[in-house]
Amino acid sequence: MSAVPMIPRNGLIWLLIAQVLVILPHLGHLPLWIIGLWLVCAIWRVQIFRMHARYPRSWLKALMMIGVGCGVYLSRGSLIGLDAGVVLLIAAFILKLVEMRSRRDAWVLIFLGFFAVTTSYLFYDSLPAGLYSLLPVTALLAAMIGLQQSAAGTHPWPTLRLAGSLLMQAIPLMLVLFVLFPRLGPLWSLPQPSDRGVTGLSDSMSPGDIAELSRSSQLAFRASFEGPIPERDRLYWRAVTFERFDGRRWSQSLASQVPQAPDWTPRGTPVQYSVVMQPSGRPWLYALDVPQVEASDVRLMTDFHLQRTRPIDQALLYQATSWPESLREPGAPPATLERALQLPAQGNPRSRAWAETLRREYPNPANLVQALLRHFNQQPYRYTLKPSSVGADIVDGFLFDTLNGFCIHYAGAMTFMLRAAGIPARVVAGYQGGEINPSGNYLSVRQLDAHAWVEYWRADQGWIAIDPTFQVAPERIEQGLEEALSDEDELLDDSPLALRRYRDIGWLNQLRFGWDNLNYGWQRWVLGYQGERQLDVLKELFGKLDARKLGLLTVLTGALLMAVLAVIVLKPWRRERDPLVRLFRRFERLLARQGIERQASEGARDFAERAAALLPASAESIREFARLYELARYADRPSGKGELQASFARLRRQLPWRSGARWEPKAVPDER
C-alpha cells in the first residue's frame, strides 16, 4: 500500500493562518472556549508535522466531538438555530485540523473555511467586514496553492503573491456576475442572530423603553431625498402604532396588523425618497405619512404603517413617496374608533376626573386638544432621560406629581387624557429628525432619534398628528435629542469611542461624515442591489430584458472578460525585443517545418551544422546564416542585421513549406 502524501509545510502554514483570519470576525459571538480549542488543535497539528505527536485515535475524536457538542449546548442552550450552528461550524473547522492526514482532508478543511467566511456576513455586512473577508479568502487560496507544492516547500511569500494575483484576476468576473446574474430567493430563511446589536422599537413599549434606545448611537436607517431635505419638524418617521393600553404598557392591536389599505386622500406636495434600513428583526418599514412603496412584499396596514411580509434581517433598500398633508380616514370605521378609545377599567383616577372636567369645559375636541397642549407648555414640565418614579398609576404620577419624563410619557399621558375625554387617539412610535450628512446630502437616523407622538381623530378631518413633547422641549424637534439633553451625561453611553461624541472637533466630524458616506454608498449600491433594484438598473442599461437575453448577455460578457484576462496573463505582446534573436527564432521555425528541431543545449553553430548535414542542398545557405548571425551577434558589425536578413530570405526561398515536399534547388545569384 502506498504511503499517504504528507501535507506540505507551506500548505500547513497557510492553513493555520487562514484559520486565524476566518475565526477572528466571529469572536464577538463565539464562546471563549473556542479560542482554547483552536490553540490546542493548532499546537497538536504542528507537533504531528514535526513527528512529535500522533494523530488522535477514533475514540479520542469521538470524545472531542461529544465535548464540543456539550460546550455548544451549555453556551447557547441549544444545538439548533443560527447561533449554535455557527459555533458548531467553527468547531468542526478547528477539529478537522488535527484529523487531517491527506491532501484530500486539507481540501475539505479549505472548503469549510470558505463556508465559514460567508457565515460572517450573517452578523456583519458593513464595508469594513466586506474588505476584511478578502484576507481569509486570500489565505485559503494560498493554502490551496501550498498543497500543490512539494513537502520541502518552505516559501510562503511567493505563494501569497500568487494567491493575491489569482484573487485580483477573479474580481472582474465576480463583478460581472454580481451585476448580471439574477438574484434568487433563499431556499430557506434563517433567524436573525440574537447578538446582532440594538434592534430598535418593539411591538410594545413602556415609558422606559424609548429612553433606553435614546442612549444608543446605533444606526436605524439612512434616507436620501429627491430634492431638498424637508425641515426637521416635518420629519416624523412612522414605524408602528400603539392602540392598546393595559395600565403600564402600550402595544399593537391585532386589527392594526391586517394588510388592508385604509381610506386616505393625497394632498399637498409629495415627498420622494429612498431608505436604506438596518436589520431590525421586525417587519415594519420606516416612512413619512402617508407612504406608498412599490414593492410586492410591502403593504400599507390599517393604521397607516408599512409592513413587510417577513422581518428585516439584512440591510434593505426601498423607495417611497409620501404625502404628509393627506386626509386620513375622515370617516373611520366604528371598530377603529372603538380601539382608539380603549382604556383599562381601573387606574389613574385623577387623570380620568381631570379629563371629564376638560370635556365639560371644552366640548369642541380641537379646543380640548389645545388646552392640553397649553398645559404642557405652561406648567413646569421637564424633558429628561432620567424621569422620577411614578408608582402604580403612571399617568397620574407623571401629570400631577413628578412632571418630568421622556417623549413616551407625554405621548402616553395625552393619549390617555384624550381617550378619557371621549376623543379617539393613539400613540405613534418611530423616529423624529435625523442628522444631515453634508458629504452625501442625506439623513442618518439613529436609535437616539426614537420618538413617540400622538394622533387623534376628528370627524371629516380624519387623523391629526400632534406632538406634546414640542410644547415642553421644542429644541428636541427643531435641533435634535443631543441639543435638547446636552446637560445630561448618559447620552451615547453605549459608544464611548464613537466619533459622534467628538462632533465639536471639526476634522473628526468631517472624518465621521466621510466614513458614514462611504458606508452608505456600500449599503445603497452593493447590499441594496437586490431583486427589483437589479432589474431596474439592468433595464436602464440594456432596455427590456427577458431570461434568454439576460443569460446570453451574461455568457457573452463573461467570455469577453475571460478573453481580456487571457491576453493580460499570457501577454502576447511580450515578444523578443532583440531583432537578431527574433530573426534566429524564425530560422528555427523554418527548419522545424523540415523536421529539424533545435535541442535546448545546442548552440547556433552546432544546430546549423546538423541541419546542413540533413539538408545538403541548402547546406551552404544554412552555414552562411549561422556565420552571419554570430558576426552580427557577437562582433557587433554595423551591417550585420541587413546581411543576416538577406541570408534568411535566400534560405527561405530555397526550402519547401513543409517537410517531404518535392523540390528542385534553384540557382541563387551571388548578391555579394
Side-chain angles (χ1 to χ4, degrees):
M1 181 182 294
S2 59
V4 177
M6 187 177 181
I7 304 296
R9 178 181 178 183
N10 195 20
L12 181 59
I13 290 174
W14 281 113
L15 277 174
L16 293 173
I17 294 174
Q19 281 203 325
V20 173
L21 295 175
V22 169
I23 294 172
L24 271 178
H26 289 279
L27 288 180
H29 50 268
L30 290 178
L32 292 179
W33 57 263
I34 285 287
I35 301 175
L37 179 66
W38 182 84
L39 289 174
V40 170
C41 291
I43 295 172
W44 194 347
R45 179 71 238 186
V46 171
Q47 293 300 96
I48 291 175
F49 181 83
R50 299 176 63 194
M51 299 183 180
H52 292 170
R54 295 182 178 181
Y55 290 100
R57 297 182 182 274
S58 298
W59 65 268
L60 183 55
K61 289 190 290 185
L63 187 62
M64 293 170 68
M65 292 174 60
I66 294 173
V68 165
C70 293
V72 173
Y73 185 81
L74 292 175
S75 59
R76 291 295 180 263
S78 173
L79 294 178
I80 301 174
L82 180 60
D83 293 343
V86 171
V87 178
L88 284 173
L89 173 65
I90 298 299
F93 182 50
I94 294 171
L95 290 178
K96 187 65 180 176
L97 188 65
V98 295
E99 192 262 348
M100 177 178 62
R101 291 175 178 264
S102 64
R103 283 185 169 90
R104 179 180 177 277
D105 294 330
W107 279 99
V108 173
L109 182 64
I110 289 172
F111 292 147
L112 277 175
F114 282 123
F115 191 68
V117 170
T118 61
T119 59
S120 66
Y121 283 97
L122 297 172
F123 299 88
Y124 312 106
D125 56 9
S126 63
L127 176 59
L131 295 176
Y132 175 84
S133 65
L134 296 178
L135 295 179
V137 168
T138 304
L140 289 167
L141 289 175
M144 295 173 64
I145 297 169
L147 291 178
Q148 310 308 314
Q149 299 173 344
S150 67
T154 57
H155 305 291
W157 297 119
T159 304
L160 177 63
R161 286 196 296 270
L162 179 57
S165 175
L166 292 175
L167 183 63
M168 292 299 104
Q169 293 171 31
I171 285 179
L173 182 60
M174 177 197 71
L175 294 176
V176 169
L177 294 176
F178 174 80
V179 173
L180 298 179
F181 198 82
R183 298 296 185 270
L184 301 177
L187 298 179
W188 60 84
S189 60
L190 293 174
Q192 185 190 11
S194 60
D195 56 350
R196 188 152 185 173
V198 176
T199 57
L201 301 168
S202 64
D203 54 4
S204 66
M205 186 163 292
S206 65
D209 293 341
I210 288 188
E212 288 300 319
L213 281 179
S214 297
R215 294 184 174 91
S216 170
S217 63
Q218 291 286 335
L219 184 69
F221 62 95
R222 298 184 180 95
S224 297
F225 291 85
E226 295 186 12
I229 298 176
E231 297 295 328
R232 282 190 62 96
D233 58 3
R234 298 184 62 193
L235 294 174
Y236 282 83
W237 304 93
R238 180 190 291 262
V240 62
T241 307
F242 297 138
E243 294 183 315
R244 297 183 67 244
F245 181 58
D246 62 4
R248 302 295 299 181
R249 297 185 67 86
W250 289 92
S251 59
Q252 281 187 292
S253 66
L254 294 177
S256 67
Q257 302 176 50
V258 175
Q260 179 180 348
D263 176 34
W264 65 285
T265 303
R267 287 184 178 178
T269 304
V271 180
Q272 295 181 321
Y273 53 96
S274 62
V275 174
V276 177
M277 181 178 169
Q278 296 301 109
S280 65
R282 305 288 178 179
W284 317 311
L285 273 62
Y286 309 134
L288 305 174
D289 282 330
V290 171
Q292 282 188 341
V293 175
E294 294 183 2
S296 58
D297 59 345
V298 177
R299 296 287 186 270
L300 184 65
M301 312 303 277
T302 57
D303 60 353
F304 293 95
H305 84 272
L306 286 175
Q307 185 157 313
R308 198 170 179 231
T309 55
R310 59 184 184 274
I312 291 85
D313 52 11
Q314 61 181 357
L316 177 67
L317 170 65
Y318 56 92
Q319 284 78 34
T321 302
S322 294
W323 286 264
E325 300 174 12
S326 298
L327 177 64
R328 296 180 294 155
E329 283 194 323
T336 300
L337 299 180
E338 183 179 350
R339 292 195 304 272
L341 288 170
Q342 174 268 329
L343 285 176
Q346 303 294 329
N348 301 291
R350 288 183 290 175
S351 299
R352 294 174 189 266
W354 184 34
E356 186 61 32
T357 301
L358 291 175
R359 183 177 186 176
R360 291 193 299 269
E361 186 175 355
Y362 301 100
N364 186 304
N367 294 337
L368 191 150
V369 169
Q370 292 302 316
L372 278 174
L373 293 177
R374 284 196 303 272
H375 172 81
F376 285 124
N377 179 263
Q378 296 172 1
Q379 298 302 313
Y381 286 93
R382 188 167 63 90
Y383 185 71
T384 177
L385 277 177
K386 298 177 287 187
S388 306
S389 177
V390 292
D393 293 324
I394 61 173
V395 179
D396 282 358
F398 166 68
L399 287 176
F400 302 105
D401 299 329
T402 65
L403 278 68
N404 62 72
F406 200 56
C407 58
I408 188 63
H409 290 83
Y410 294 96
M414 186 161 189
T415 302
F416 185 96
M417 289 292 298
L418 291 177
R419 289 186 174 189
I423 300 174
R426 56 196 184 189
V427 176
V428 182
Y431 299 87
Q432 197 282 323
E435 182 182 38
I436 298 177
N437 188 315
S439 298
N441 195 34
Y442 62 88
L443 279 176
S444 294
V445 182
R446 303 182 181 275
Q447 299 298 345
L448 56 83
D449 295 309
H451 193 58
W453 59 97
V454 180
E455 57 184 18
Y456 73 99
W457 185 85
R458 289 182 61 187
D460 299 326
Q461 295 188 28
W463 294 100
I464 302 171
I466 53 175
D467 190 353
T469 302
F470 181 80
Q471 303 299 320
V472 180
E475 62 275 9
R476 163 62 184 92
I477 310 304
E478 297 173 345
Q479 302 176 38
L481 178 73
E482 291 162 295
E483 284 69 21
L485 298 177
S486 57
D487 57 337
E488 296 195 7
D489 56 2
E490 293 188 12
L491 287 174
L492 304 181
D493 275 355
D494 71 327
S495 307
L497 300 179
L499 290 178
R500 188 180 178 91
R501 296 176 67 94
Y502 311 103
R503 61 191 181 278
D504 294 333
I505 303 176
W507 68 272
L508 278 178
N509 207 36
Q510 291 299 319
L511 177 64
R512 177 173 69 90
F513 282 138
W515 178 248
D516 190 79
N517 189 30
L518 192 63
N519 277 286
Y520 181 45
W522 166 264
Q523 287 196 317
R524 186 173 184 182
W525 301 112
V526 178
L527 301 182
Y529 190 71
Q530 303 286 339
E532 296 179 0
R533 173 68 175 172
Q534 182 189 30
L535 292 177
D536 292 341
V537 172
L538 293 179
K539 287 178 181 178
E540 291 178 4
L541 294 176
F542 306 107
K544 186 178 180 180
L545 286 174
D546 54 24
R548 181 179 178 183
K549 185 176 179 181
L550 184 58
L552 182 62
L553 180 63
T554 303
V555 171
L556 292 178
T557 306
L560 177 62
L561 179 62
M562 295 301 292
V564 172
L565 287 175
V567 170
I568 295 174
V569 172
L570 298 177
K571 299 178 176 63
W573 61 86
R574 282 193 174 180
R575 301 176 60 188
E576 184 59 56
R577 296 183 179 181
D578 190 331
L580 296 177
V581 175
R582 286 204 305 269
L583 197 55
F584 190 82
R585 296 284 182 263
R586 295 176 63 190
F587 171 72
E588 289 180 346
R589 291 192 294 270
L590 181 63
L591 293 179
R593 287 202 295 268
Q594 313 305 316
I596 305 172
E597 297 282 349
R598 180 182 172 223
Q599 304 298 320
S601 60
E602 202 169 25
R605 183 179 299 179
D606 293 339
F607 177 55
E609 287 297 328
R610 183 165 64 87
L614 295 174
L615 300 171
S618 300
E620 183 179 353
S621 296
I622 293 173
R623 291 190 179 99
E624 181 189 28
F625 179 88
R627 180 180 63 83
L628 291 174
Y629 174 74
E630 289 180 342
L631 290 174
R633 183 71 176 167
Y634 303 108
D636 197 23
R637 291 176 55 177
S639 60
K641 179 181 176 183
E643 293 175 347
L644 188 64
Q645 288 176 332
S647 175
F648 179 79
R650 287 193 296 271
L651 178 62
R652 186 174 57 184
R653 288 195 296 268
Q654 290 180 8
L655 294 177
W657 284 103
R658 63 185 184 277
S659 177
R662 293 185 178 182
W663 60 285
E664 295 293 334
K666 298 179 180 179
V668 179
D670 190 345
E671 299 179 1
R672 287 177 292 181

